[in-house]
Amino acid sequence: MAITRFAVLTFLALAGVASVTVYMSLHIARDEAVRDARNRTIGIARGIAAPLVNTEVREGNPEAMRALDDALSNRMRDGTVSHMVVWDVDGTPIWGDSPEEIDHDDGLPVALTAVEAVEGDAVDRGPEPLQHVGTGTDDLVEVYVRVLDADGTPFVFEAYTPRGKIQADARVLMRELLPLTLGSLLVLVAAIVPLSLTLARRIDRANAGRRDILRRSLRSWQGERERLAQSLHDDVIQDLSAMGYALPVVLEALPDDQRSAAARAMGEQMTGVLIRSVRALRGVLTDLAPSGLEDADLDAALHALAQRHREHGLGVDLSTDPDLGVGKAAGTLVYRIVREGLHNVAKHADATAVTVRVARRDALVDVTIDDNGRGPARPEGEDGHVGLRLLEHFLTDVHGSLELVERPGGDGGARLRAVVPARLPELDEALRD
């Protein structure tokens, strides 16, 4: 799945970057083509027109005009420039490749007829349609350049470059830019893909190892608790129960006199202590190995846990959703959270009441424990809630969470909130094993 996601995202990223690259390359190529038209016009104006424009040309000398006409007409034969006009700075045309087209021209821009204009100023008037007599309409780029003629007198040179020429130049630049840019992207992707695949495989192996550690940890935890519960049941509880049954018999055998009364009273107290100890150990036994922690069994186990705390004087208000839909592993975690939360409230919080809510929220189970005690601060001189920290680490490993904060509302007390995935199939399998 990680490799598939990487491949799809890489393709989308490459397509996006390629689209932006094509768009930017197109604009760059167009701008560069227009810049070439500007530079070409400046070159013709300075290198060809300026040396030939002089007083004789301005006065209409046929020989001088023919020399200028031949030079500029020859420059137009390669198709890079389709129309040229030489203007005086006052807007009077001096020469043009076609007198008819001069008559249809809009004249000079105001900026180039101003005295402040300096030699070499160029103005790109952008694509403007120019009416050619008998040839229809061509899309041209019009460029004006102000230069000095052979006598040092300023004039304005105007040239029109066909849009097709600019587009052709842009396509040439595109063919040069795109292979380099897109090729670099492909080389980068080709270098990244093997590294990403290797990283994805390492992540998969790490995740598999983490899942195996979790399974082993849960299986070991469950096995140790069951062995401890079995040992308590078979040895300690049985022995204490036997003592609880035997002690009354021993007390009955004592003589009914003044000297035996004190021993009988002490024996009766010991019998009460044994009975309470056996009951407490049976409660511990239930906590260590509850009979079932799925759905209805979890609800029953939680209510039994709450009842044991009520018997010790803590007011517990417990509510659970009627259908949590949890597996055994998730149910075990929910039970551990509630048990650890109630244990910490009873031991550390100095609380008289606690509210426990267990609710299903989409694919998660939300556990909230609120108490009216002294808040979540660490008890003075104690190491803190080790059980909660261990639970927090375990929940983080299964993509859950646990936090201990102040109870909302500002009335004091603490809130323990945990989020547990409702289904943990791999851990359920480990518990079945």
Side-chain angles (χ1 to χ4, degrees), residues 158-193:
E158 175 187 19
Y160 289 82
T161 301
R163 175 62 62 179
K165 170 60 178 174
I166 290 181
Q167 291 175 343
D169 291 343
R171 285 193 293 270
V172 172
L173 288 171
M174 284 279 290
R175 287 195 294 269
E176 294 177 355
L177 286 173
L178 284 182
L180 177 63
T181 306
L182 296 181
S184 300
L185 289 175
L186 291 175
V187 170
L188 178 62
V189 171
I192 289 176
V193 166

Side-chain angles (χ1 to χ4, degrees), residues 101-135:
E101 291 181 351
I102 295 177
D103 294 338
H104 287 79
D105 204 293
D106 295 333
L108 286 174
V110 175
L112 287 174
T113 61
V115 178
E116 289 80 6
V118 297
E119 181 184 9
D121 283 351
V123 176
D124 175 13
R125 295 180 63 182
E128 293 183 356
L130 176 66
Q131 300 295 327
H132 291 271
V133 178
T135 59

Side-chain angles (χ1 to χ4, degrees), residues 4-81:
T4 302
R5 284 197 300 270
F6 172 78
V8 172
L9 292 175
T10 300
F11 174 78
L12 293 176
L14 183 61
V17 173
S19 300
V20 173
T21 302
V22 170
Y23 178 79
M24 295 300 296
S25 297
L26 180 61
H27 278 269
I28 292 172
R30 286 176 177 173
D31 292 343
E32 189 62 29
V34 171
R35 189 178 297 110
D36 285 345
R38 292 162 59 94
N39 293 335
R40 186 182 305 115
T41 301
I42 293 173
I44 295 172
R46 291 179 175 176
I48 299 177
L52 296 175
V53 176
N54 50 32
T55 303
E56 294 180 351
V57 169
R58 293 175 186 273
E59 293 176 352
N61 182 283
E63 187 176 349
M65 292 291 288
R66 186 166 48 254
L68 178 62
D69 185 77
D70 290 342
L72 294 180
S73 296
N74 289 333
R75 188 64 182 82
M76 292 174 59
R77 288 194 178 96
D78 62 3
T80 57
V81 180

Side-chain angles (χ1 to χ4, degrees), residues 163-390:
R163 175 62 62 179
K165 170 60 178 174
I166 290 181
Q167 291 175 343
D169 291 343
R171 285 193 293 270
V172 172
L173 288 171
M174 284 279 290
R175 287 195 294 269
E176 294 177 355
L177 286 173
L178 284 182
L180 177 63
T181 306
L182 296 181
S184 300
L185 289 175
L186 291 175
V187 170
L188 178 62
V189 171
I192 289 176
V193 166
L195 297 176
S196 301
L197 294 178
T198 301
L199 179 61
R201 292 190 182 97
R202 289 182 179 179
I203 292 174
D204 286 341
R205 287 195 295 269
N207 287 334
R210 182 183 62 82
R211 289 192 294 269
D212 184 62
I213 291 173
L214 281 175
R215 286 194 297 268
R216 292 175 181 272
S217 174
L218 187 60
R219 188 183 299 119
S220 174
W221 170 81
Q222 187 74 7
E224 287 300 322
R225 294 176 72 86
E226 290 176 352
R227 282 191 290 272
L228 180 58
Q230 188 68 38
S231 177
L232 285 175
H233 180 271
D234 293 345
D235 298 327
V236 179
I237 293 179
Q238 294 297 335
D239 292 342
L240 291 178
S241 297
M243 291 177 61
Y245 288 121
L247 193 55
V249 176
V250 173
L251 295 178
E252 287 294 330
L254 292 175
D256 192 10
D257 53 24
Q258 187 68 26
R259 293 180 58 188
S260 301
R264 186 176 290 106
M266 180 62 69
E268 291 173 353
Q269 291 181 7
M270 292 175 62
T271 301
V273 171
L274 282 173
I275 293 173
R276 289 193 297 273
S277 297
V278 170
R279 288 177 180 173
L281 285 173
R282 290 188 186 279
V284 173
L285 186 65
T286 302
D287 285 345
L288 287 172
S291 58
L293 294 176
E294 297 181 75
D295 296 336
D297 294 328
L298 174 61
D299 184 74
L302 292 176
H303 278 85
L305 180 62
Q307 182 58 35
R308 286 197 297 275
H309 282 275
R310 292 189 191 104
E311 293 173 356
H312 288 83
L314 181 63
V316 181
D317 178 15
L318 171 67
S319 66
T320 62
D321 281 358
D323 184 15
L324 290 173
V326 297
K328 187 173 182 180
T332 301
L333 283 173
V334 171
Y335 184 85
R336 287 181 63 187
I337 292 164
V338 175
R339 185 193 67 205
E340 193 67 30
L342 291 176
H343 171 76
N344 282 314
V345 169
K347 185 176 180 181
H348 303 297
D350 293 335
T352 59
V354 60
T355 301
V356 181
R357 298 286 181 266
V358 182
R360 179 69 180 262
R361 179 166 52 85
D362 297 328
L364 303 172
V365 177
D366 200 339
V367 181
T368 305
I369 303 175
D370 291 328
D371 67 70
N372 63 349
R374 60 183 178 181
R378 178 181 295 180
E380 192 67 28
E382 298 183 8
D383 294 332
H385 308 301
V386 177
L388 290 181
R389 289 205 301 273
L390 294 176

